Amino acid sequence: MKTSFLDFEQPIAELEEKIEQLRYVQDDSALDISEEIERLNSKSQALTKDIYAKLGAWQISQVARHPQRPYTLDYLSGMFTDVEELHGDRAYSDDPAIVAALARFNGEPVMVLGHQKGRDTKEKIYRNFGMPRPEGYRKALRLFRMAEKFQLPIITFIDTPGAYPGIGAEERGQSEAIARNLFVMAELRTPIISVIIGEGGSGGALALGVADQMLMLQYATYSVISPEGCASILWKSADKAAEAAETLAITANRLKTFGLVDRIINEPLGGAHRDHELMMQTMRKALTDTLRHLQDKPLDTLLQERYERLMSYGRFKETPER
Amino acid sequence: MSWLQKLLPPKIKRGDSGTARKVVPEGLWSKCPNCDSVLYRTDLEKNQEVCPKCDFHNRINARTRLDIVLDPEGRFEIGSEVTPLDPLKFKDSRRYADRIKASQSETGETDALIVMQGSIKTVPVVAAAFEFKFQGGSMGSVVGERFVRGVNTCLENNLPFICFSASGGARMQEGLFSLMQMAKTSAALTALARARLPFISVLTDPTMGGVSASFAMLGDVIIAEPGALIGFAGPRVIEQTVRETLPDGFQRAEFLLEHGAVDLIVDRRQMRDKLATLLTGMMRLPAVA
């Protein structure tokens, strides 16, 4: 797959183009230019490292939304075995924007759920750009309950612009569907791990993200509102998205300092989309550690800690008596 | 114009500015934003800000709300010691810290949720009410914490919890802390449920976004006030997404009742009686007169 480059990656793109041309020339030339290619390759690497070392929040948003980034189904096929996808909310329909599977992780059965975006236009529409409708959240709810029943740990992958703002979604209770998941996940008697793999878009993301451990990829984002949405409301112009992104504190680093994310998972150089294979390895290791850590805890302790953690969210002043 | 007002269709905006006009009593008369009747101010106040001609429910502030619903004696406030911070040092065209100060002096409140212990027709309760004029009733850290302290008071004293929502959703200026208040408030309700204590959620105009998509939709009983706008996404956002005009009455209380999202619609003037009846039933207490 040919990497598609983002705006701020143009210098890398040009270099890669040159390397590609040289390779082509080398194929039918007697001259050995492999040294030159090697030199350019390491230059490209250094350049990538350089650019990625100082990404702003808005640039990170672009990486988080990169069309070649691994999605939930990629992680499912890349890290899990015996994957059986399960469908439907048993009430209205099946929502392809959320996928769910009974699968094995390191040989052990788990329940995996996540948002799913599409790669090409047709699939993007089919997956509704990863924006779930109430039935998606209700499918998740049903399978959360099932995981609890069979004592299966839950792993959720979060990657959505947000819950779908549509007429039908409102008619079928989008608010209630999200709210119900928040309630149930808070008291579900089985370990829950959430990983933000791309876009953590507001309530639509949180509805799969009440967890014992919150993991986040290095170039993922998690936000109460999209930078564009925030900019158009507060700055009255979507062009101020970069400024909004910076101010909203949506990156893994900022959120880790606030204690809202437990662990940052490093991505391959140039982002997860550059090397799916390596991303799977790093992810597997992080999940293995986290899962072991959670499974060592008695269930009551786990739930107590989950509750206390939820209650600790927020920053406010406390004055003795006004 | 606040960001929330921008989200609302013109009809609501008119209602809102109408309310604003009334709260600052310029004269003896005010005009109903719905039926255009000219009303005697005192009559409107006596009628709990409901138009005596067309039953239009004007928005009311949090303290008026609690005043209408709670018995006059034995009230005390919970969580007023909790006040806002600016954890992100947020600044757009104005600093968040300044917006907070402006809201505080405009409303006389320190944040958008007021919680009180008291009773309704002698049934002891904890009741919370949103102040919509404070940053569009948006939910940040203080709202979440006060909500939880209200729930905790219920747990300690075996009381039911009631919340009157009026909110545009999560407060953007506190970033992810605000989003997490959705999880926090919903989680607190799991403790209330385990203690078998009732939670009645009353949705008033408007209840949107992160508030609607968390505790507000988790009531054992969900009540809506007539005509209240209730939903997840704002009508304008939906219109832009689906590129269709929205059906008449979309996201109004009556629409939600029809779609099975709320239990009942209750006129403000009957709210106290209905709450007392429901609470005594759920708490298995003797009926109140």
Side-chain angles (χ1 to χ4, degrees):
Chain A
M1 185 170 45
K2 201 169 180 302
T3 310
S4 50
F5 289 96
L6 301 164
D7 281 353
F8 63 87
E9 294 179 306
Q10 275 324 302
I12 310 171
E14 281 160 25
L15 209 53
E16 289 291 327
E17 179 93 358
K18 210 181 281 176
I19 294 169
E20 202 53 41
Q21 281 168 359
L22 283 179
R23 282 215 178 99
Y24 185 73
V25 173
Q26 188 186 21
D27 282 348
D28 43 23
S29 122
L31 230 72
D32 185 17
I33 46 171
S34 62
E35 237 171 69
E36 176 66 5
I37 293 176
E38 200 44 50
R39 198 183 62 80
L40 285 177
N41 256 331
S42 50
K43 198 176 160 192
S44 167
Q45 291 240 336
L47 190 61
T48 309
K49 212 173 201 166
D50 216 39
I51 288 176
Y52 270 74
K54 34 186 190 222
L55 289 187
W58 179 237
Q59 291 168 325
I60 289 175
S61 295
Q62 307 306 306
V63 182
R65 297 171 186 171
H66 196 287
Q68 291 168 327
R69 225 175 143 74
Y71 296 148
T72 298
L73 286 177
D74 300 311
Y75 289 107
L76 260 173
S77 60
M79 296 189 317
F80 296 84
T81 52
D82 293 351
V83 177
E84 293 295 345
E85 195 181 335
L86 305 173
H87 296 273
D89 68 345
R90 299 288 189 274
Y92 182 77
S93 81
D94 183 46
D95 184 356
I98 289 181
V99 293
L102 181 63
R104 282 180 188 268
F105 182 66
N106 296 330
E108 199 191 329
V110 292
M111 187 68 78
V112 183
L113 297 106
H115 300 97
Q116 181 64 35
K117 293 178 175 177
R119 292 251 182 251
D120 56 33
T121 311
K122 202 174 149 200
E123 205 204 348
K124 277 179 183 157
I125 291 166
Y126 174 65
R127 301 285 179 190
N128 200 30
F129 302 88
M131 293 187 284
R133 297 181 164 92
E135 38 282 10
Y137 294 115
R138 289 179 183 136
K139 165 167 68 177
L141 179 67
R142 176 174 76 85
L143 295 167
F144 288 150
R145 288 286 187 212
M146 182 170 127
E148 179 182 54
K149 179 177 175 183
F150 298 116
Q151 295 295 284
L152 308 173
I154 294 168
I155 299 170
T156 68
F157 293 110
I158 293 171
D159 189 12
T160 178
Y164 186 60
I167 296 174
E170 294 288 327
E171 287 172 337
R172 298 192 296 278
Q174 186 74 289
S175 285
E176 194 275 345
I178 294 171
R180 187 64 52 197
N181 282 12
L182 304 183
F183 184 94
V184 168
M185 290 183 94
E187 61 169 6
L188 205 67
R189 294 185 65 80
T190 194
I192 307 173
I193 303 172
S194 289
V195 196
I196 302 166
I197 55 172
E199 268 182 291
S202 197
L206 184 64
L208 296 186
V210 179
D212 297 300
Q213 283 285 298
M214 193 77 224
L215 278 50
M216 188 163 174
L217 290 194
Q218 191 179 3
Y219 304 123
T221 58
Y222 195 7
S223 182
V224 65
I225 185 171
S226 72
E228 296 95 321
C230 180
S232 63
I233 294 168
L234 290 180
W235 279 264
K236 324 261 183 257
S237 151
D239 301 340
K240 300 280 186 183
E243 214 170 311
E246 216 54 68
T247 319
L248 277 168
I250 61 176
T251 60
N253 279 329
R254 295 283 304 272
L255 295 172
K256 178 103 191 321
T257 6
F258 286 141
L260 296 171
V261 161
D262 299 294
R263 177 171 177 167
I264 300 175
I265 305 173
N266 282 330
E267 295 188 24
L269 180 62
H273 58 281
R274 290 286 204 99
D275 192 343
H276 281 211
E277 195 58 41
L278 181 58
M279 189 66 252
M280 297 295 143
Q281 283 173 30
T282 325
M283 176 76 82
R284 172 189 291 277
K285 195 178 166 310
L287 283 179
T288 306
D289 288 354
T290 310
L291 193 57
R292 188 179 306 132
H293 170 70
L294 294 181
Q295 284 178 315
D296 280 348
K297 288 182 187 180
L299 213 45
D300 286 332
T301 314
L302 189 81
L303 268 108
Q304 183 65 31
E305 287 178 6
R306 189 189 301 163
Y307 190 78
E308 281 163 12
R309 181 188 159 81
L310 285 162
M311 291 307 123
S312 76
Y313 288 143
R315 293 278 171 96
F316 48 81
K317 220 168 13 190
E318 190 148 8
T319 43
E321 273 299 306
R322 278 195 303 120
Chain B
M1 192 188 286
S2 83
W3 63 270
L4 193 115
Q5 282 174 304
K6 266 196 79 176
L7 281 177
L8 297 174
K11 201 181 164 197
I12 315 293
K13 263 188 239 163
R14 208 177 57 208
D16 186 45
S17 60
T19 321
R21 235 189 357 259
K22 282 183 199 79
V23 171
V24 187
E26 282 167 16
L28 285 166
W29 306 94
S30 66
K31 199 171 172 188
C32 174
N34 186 52
C35 70
D36 288 343
S37 301
V38 178
L39 306 166
Y40 190 41
R41 257 301 328 146
T42 324
D43 284 350
L44 192 59
E45 268 160 37
K46 265 194 230 142
N47 210 30
Q48 306 181 357
E49 300 291 334
V50 177
C51 174
K53 297 270 163 43
C54 72
D55 293 337
F56 178 80
H57 283 54
N58 288 290
R59 289 179 186 166
I60 55 176
N61 64 40
R63 291 211 188 254
T64 310
R65 170 73 65 183
L66 294 173
D67 221 36
I68 288 172
V69 97
L70 293 174
D71 298 335
E73 59 285 332
R75 300 178 191 172
F76 56 90
E77 196 170 340
I78 297 164
S80 61
E81 67 280 6
V82 180
T83 54
L85 281 176
D86 177 13
L88 307 186
K89 302 275 165 273
F90 198 97
K91 182 175 178 292
D92 48 270
S93 54
R94 270 173 91 187
R95 289 167 56 222
Y96 174 48
D98 292 339
R99 285 184 192 266
I100 290 272
K101 276 193 208 120
S103 282
Q104 286 176 339
S105 55
E106 188 199 333
T107 61
E109 304 296 351
T110 48
D111 212 304
L113 188 76
I114 314 297
V115 187
M116 269 190 200
Q117 185 172 344
S119 57
I120 298 174
K121 298 180 85 180
T122 73
V123 183
V125 298
V126 173
F130 274 80
E131 179 52 66
F132 186 71
K133 288 214 184 92
F134 196 105
Q135 295 291 301
S138 57
M139 174 161 67
S141 300
V142 173
V143 169
E145 180 66 18
R146 286 184 185 170
F147 185 97
V148 167
R149 289 185 188 201
V151 170
N152 288 343
T153 306
C154 292
L155 293 172
E156 285 153 23
N157 302 287
N158 247 357
L159 303 175
F161 189 60
I162 302 164
C163 183
F164 296 88
S165 302
S167 171
R171 190 173 298 170
M172 283 180 287
Q173 292 93 337
E174 290 181 30
L176 208 67
F177 286 114
S178 296
L179 189 73
M180 290 306 154
Q181 302 312 309
M182 293 171 64
K184 177 172 172 170
T185 53
S186 302
L189 292 176
T190 64
L192 200 67
R194 263 196 308 282
R196 295 179 193 279
L197 294 168
F199 170 48
I200 297 185
S201 176
V202 185
L203 314 176
T204 75
D205 189 57
T207 299
M208 304 299 292
V211 166
S212 146
S214 60
F215 63 84
M217 281 295 167
L218 294 172
D220 293 302
V221 171
I222 305 179
I223 298 174
E225 272 198 340
L229 186 78
I230 301 156
F232 175 66
R236 270 234 322 237
V237 174
I238 298 174
E239 219 156 22
Q240 282 164 7
T241 310
V242 301
R243 296 180 193 288
E244 281 174 53
T245 38
L246 303 175
D248 247 10
F250 182 66
Q251 293 183 320
R252 296 287 166 189
E254 298 71 20
F255 174 94
L256 269 85
L257 183 70
E258 193 185 314
H259 285 87
V262 301
D263 286 285
L264 61 167
I265 295 177
V266 174
D267 187 295
R268 191 176 292 159
R269 294 158 293 184
Q270 269 95 56
M271 195 65 81
R272 235 172 93 80
D273 289 346
K274 292 272 186 183
L275 286 172
T277 310
L278 288 165
L279 288 173
T280 48
M282 285 190 275
M283 302 282 286
R284 293 188 295 168
L285 295 169
V288 287

